[in-house]
Amino acid sequence: MKKLINSKERMPDDMIDGFVAAYPGIVARGQNPRVVCRAHPKDRDAKVTLLIGNGCGHEPIAMGFVGSGLLDANVVGDVFAAPSPDLILEGIREVTGKAGAVLLISRHEGDVINGNAAAMMAEDENLSVQPLLMYDDISSAPKGSEDERRGAAGTIFVYKILGAAAETGMRLDDLVTLGEDVRSRTRTLAAAVAPGISPLTGAPMFSLPDDEIYIGMGVHGEPGVGRRKVGPVRDLVAFMLSELLEDRPIAPNTPTVVLVNGSGGTTQMELLTVFNEVAQGLEKLNIPRVSPMIGSFSTTQEMAGFSISLLTPTPQMLDLWQAPQSTPNFPAIHKGTRA
Amino acid sequence: MNQTFLLHLVSRFEQLEARLNQLDAATGDGDHGGTILKGMRAAAATPDAPVVAFRKAAGGASGSLFSLLIGALEQAENDSSTLGDALATAARKISQLGQARAGDKTMLDALLPAAAAANADPANPAAAAAEAARRGAEATKPMQAKRGRAKYVEGGGVGHLDAGAFSVAEILTQFSKEHGEQP
């Protein structure tokens, strides 16, 4: 395995050093070197802060989304390991003012355990912090058990919409309600093509025969989700789209935001091909699409694959999704609609 | 906490790191051995506050969950008759934090029987706990994971030992040796 690193131990810190050196007008290190925050924070007694802790190795998420109109801070754990509750608490302390904070938690074991523990510790210090669990991956738990699902790329909708809403001065409770509403309108399904290499062990993170694709994360007992042979991407996307729409049907003429996320080792050429198939599939159903996002934003090293996320936004959510932001890595969202 | 004990754990987990990573690779992301070792090294360097040191350095779910086990051993180190209750309390907290139960193929499948065995054998509580934990870890092999990352793996990790349960057994075995109770 070839990885461009100095040492396993230094990976996260070397990366953060590079990040803050590259974007000094937008982001800065907090007092704790694993806290990345805005270089020019707003008045924290007036604006609710939005932060998340997560293991690194998935860049540009979440560090790359720190900046005006989006996150106030990201607490960076080790590679693929949620930061400790103690570290998340330090991040909360650094950015939380009288307006309070939303602690986003993408639903993965370590993130949930350590995030909830940190929020409890923050409450003990009289900081006003509300944790918000994010989950959207339909393959990780069946319909009816939505709150047992994992957070996947569709969590990006929650980041962006809450980030823009907080910027307009929305209050803490309203932000949490809005975030829950975005979550309930979001669904994601992923397909893996080839494993990423863990920089910790140097080994592939799963195995998959050359001619197979893996849909979802392989939870058993869910018909239709699992391995399938590589074929034309059209068939693969049609299958994934039908799974998504079966889980959460979308009525004709409902504006829908499509996010096609690459997992690190899949080219933009392939992602645009996937998007084209999604677009055609939605067109057949008379589902108009608005303001898509296409690229590799939530990655797992050089893992090849992609996910499709669908959001049916309210008009308010759509405005917030399209609102300008200034972060190192979040792309501009274009308004263009096409029925 | 007794630094010698912590240093012994460090050397034991140095030996086990590759094997634990391998076990974890079958069901998770293959870094369990490295995570525990990071935590143990920090605990051994900070014997006055091993729980927080372990939690901070290990990170991840394992950091928080295994720090509770370290806390239980710290509590019981001078009086192993309290071991069973300390382990049971740790298991309860781990169960709450991780939303897991017996049979979910997690570290609890070693820890819960260890707590019960320690209470049932007041003469040799540490050895009884270690023995029960080893059996418990072995019993995770055919289980299908309901919690933890293994839940999302094809087959739920059936046929593989749970790395967390294995680590619990190793830690308790070392604790038992330290107390002169040879299993």
Side-chain angles (χ1 to χ4, degrees):
Chain A
M1 179 217 42
K2 300 173 196 168
K3 290 264 183 189
L4 305 176
I5 60 173
N6 292 314
S7 72
K8 276 194 219 176
E9 291 68 31
R10 285 290 311 167
M11 275 187 290
D13 299 292
D14 285 350
M15 172 182 71
I16 299 170
D17 283 346
F19 185 69
V20 295
Y23 306 106
I26 308 177
V27 294
R29 269 211 153 102
Q31 285 162 30
N32 186 299
R34 289 297 187 87
V35 177
V36 173
C37 39
R38 293 191 193 184
H40 307 291
K42 277 199 160 180
D43 176 4
R44 287 161 179 161
D45 293 337
K47 178 197 169 295
V48 174
T49 50
L50 190 63
L51 77 160
I52 187 164
N54 54 264
C56 65
H58 303 289
E59 291 66 29
I61 208 168
M63 196 169 68
F65 299 167
V66 174
S68 142
L70 243 154
L71 297 179
D72 291 275
N74 177 215
V75 180
V76 184
D78 286 345
V79 177
F80 303 148
S84 67
D86 313 75
L87 184 55
I88 299 173
L89 179 64
E90 287 191 41
I92 293 172
R93 280 192 196 129
E94 286 196 32
V95 298
T96 305
K98 287 194 185 117
V102 178
L103 176 66
L104 298 175
I105 302 175
S106 181
R107 205 179 165 288
H108 294 259
E109 223 79 17
D111 297 280
V112 175
I113 290 169
N114 294 358
N116 282 334
M120 272 192 269
M121 288 151 83
E123 258 174 51
D124 291 345
E125 300 186 5
N126 291 316
L127 293 165
S128 177
V129 179
Q130 297 241 27
L132 176 67
L133 284 180
M134 304 184 291
Y135 41 80
D136 55 320
D137 175 7
I138 66 167
S139 76
S140 55
K143 197 175 159 81
S145 304
E146 282 79 4
D147 62 354
E148 297 212 351
R149 289 177 171 174
R150 309 182 341 151
T155 58
I156 289 173
F157 293 135
V158 180
Y159 285 66
K160 176 62 177 73
I161 290 167
L162 288 198
E167 213 70 30
T168 68
M170 190 182 277
R171 294 157 54 98
L172 181 55
D173 290 346
D174 296 331
L175 280 168
V176 172
T177 306
L178 176 64
E180 289 167 348
D181 196 13
V182 174
R183 180 178 72 194
S184 73
R185 294 163 168 270
T186 301
R187 294 293 184 277
T188 296
L189 184 58
V193 175
I197 308 292
S198 165
L200 297 173
T201 61
M205 296 174 69
F206 54 86
S207 61
L208 196 57
D210 263 356
D211 61 344
E212 284 184 9
I213 281 178
Y214 203 109
I215 297 181
M217 298 309 293
V219 172
H220 269 217
E222 285 179 75
V225 177
R227 291 162 186 256
R228 62 188 268 149
K229 293 286 177 195
V230 182
V233 68
R234 180 173 300 126
D235 300 347
L236 176 65
V237 170
F239 172 73
M240 291 170 71
L241 204 52
S242 73
E243 291 281 305
L244 283 163
L245 293 174
E246 191 184 305
D247 194 85
R248 183 169 184 271
I250 298 177
N253 304 314
T254 310
T256 298
V257 180
V258 177
L259 162 61
V260 175
N261 179 67
S263 38
T266 291
T267 62
Q268 191 72 4
M269 186 180 85
E270 294 167 286
L271 297 179
L272 287 166
T273 304
V274 167
F275 178 76
N276 184 43
E277 297 302 334
V278 177
Q280 290 190 25
L282 292 179
E283 232 156 81
K284 276 184 208 154
L285 300 165
N286 289 316
I287 297 172
R289 50 180 205 282
V290 287
S291 300
M293 179 166 162
I294 303 147
S296 296
F297 303 105
S298 173
T299 66
T300 305
Q301 300 294 295
E302 59 279 85
M303 175 173 157
F306 65 93
S307 62
I308 303 168
S309 303
L310 302 178
L311 164 72
T312 55
T314 61
Q316 177 202 29
M317 286 174 194
L318 186 57
D319 280 348
L320 295 166
W321 173 246
Q322 294 168 338
Q325 43 74 33
S326 175
T327 63
N329 298 125
F330 203 91
I333 299 294
H334 300 281
K335 294 198 173 178
T337 55
R338 181 164 172 270
Chain B
M1 199 166 180
N2 184 326
Q3 195 172 22
T4 312
F5 168 55
L6 292 167
L7 287 169
H8 284 159
L9 281 174
V10 170
S11 16
R12 183 65 187 137
F13 277 88
E14 277 168 351
Q15 293 165 357
L16 287 170
E17 184 186 9
R19 177 149 177 229
L20 282 169
N21 284 346
Q22 215 175 4
L23 273 181
D24 185 36
T27 55
D29 54 3
D31 61 2
H32 179 74
T35 302
I36 297 293
L37 184 57
K38 255 194 297 184
M40 289 301 182
R41 282 184 175 143
T46 327
D48 293 339
V51 176
V52 173
F54 183 96
R55 189 172 67 205
K56 282 187 173 180
S62 298
S64 291
L65 301 176
F66 275 85
S67 76
L68 290 165
L69 173 58
I70 304 290
L73 298 183
E74 185 184 26
Q75 230 183 313
E77 72 177 347
N78 294 321
D79 179 4
S80 59
S81 73
T82 63
L83 180 65
D85 288 343
L87 293 179
T89 303
R92 195 171 61 241
K93 290 183 186 166
I94 289 165
S95 171
Q96 270 171 7
L97 273 177
Q99 296 287 297
R101 282 186 293 230
D104 285 356
K105 195 181 185 92
T106 70
M107 66 187 291
L108 285 174
D109 291 310
L111 191 53
L112 287 166
N119 277 332
D121 187 352
N124 296 293
E131 174 62 23
R134 277 197 302 275
R135 284 173 198 271
E138 197 59 38
T140 62
K141 214 174 212 175
M143 289 179 184
Q144 187 168 351
K146 305 242 171 43
R147 288 291 159 199
R149 235 180 291 231
K151 180 172 84 159
Y152 304 114
V153 173
E154 202 173 30
V158 169
H160 299 281
L161 277 185
D162 179 66
F166 185 81
S167 286
V168 169
E170 284 294 334
I171 292 167
L172 289 175
T173 300
Q174 196 60 46
F175 186 80
S176 154
K177 283 185 189 161
E178 224 72 24
H179 282 76
E181 296 179 20
Q182 287 299 336

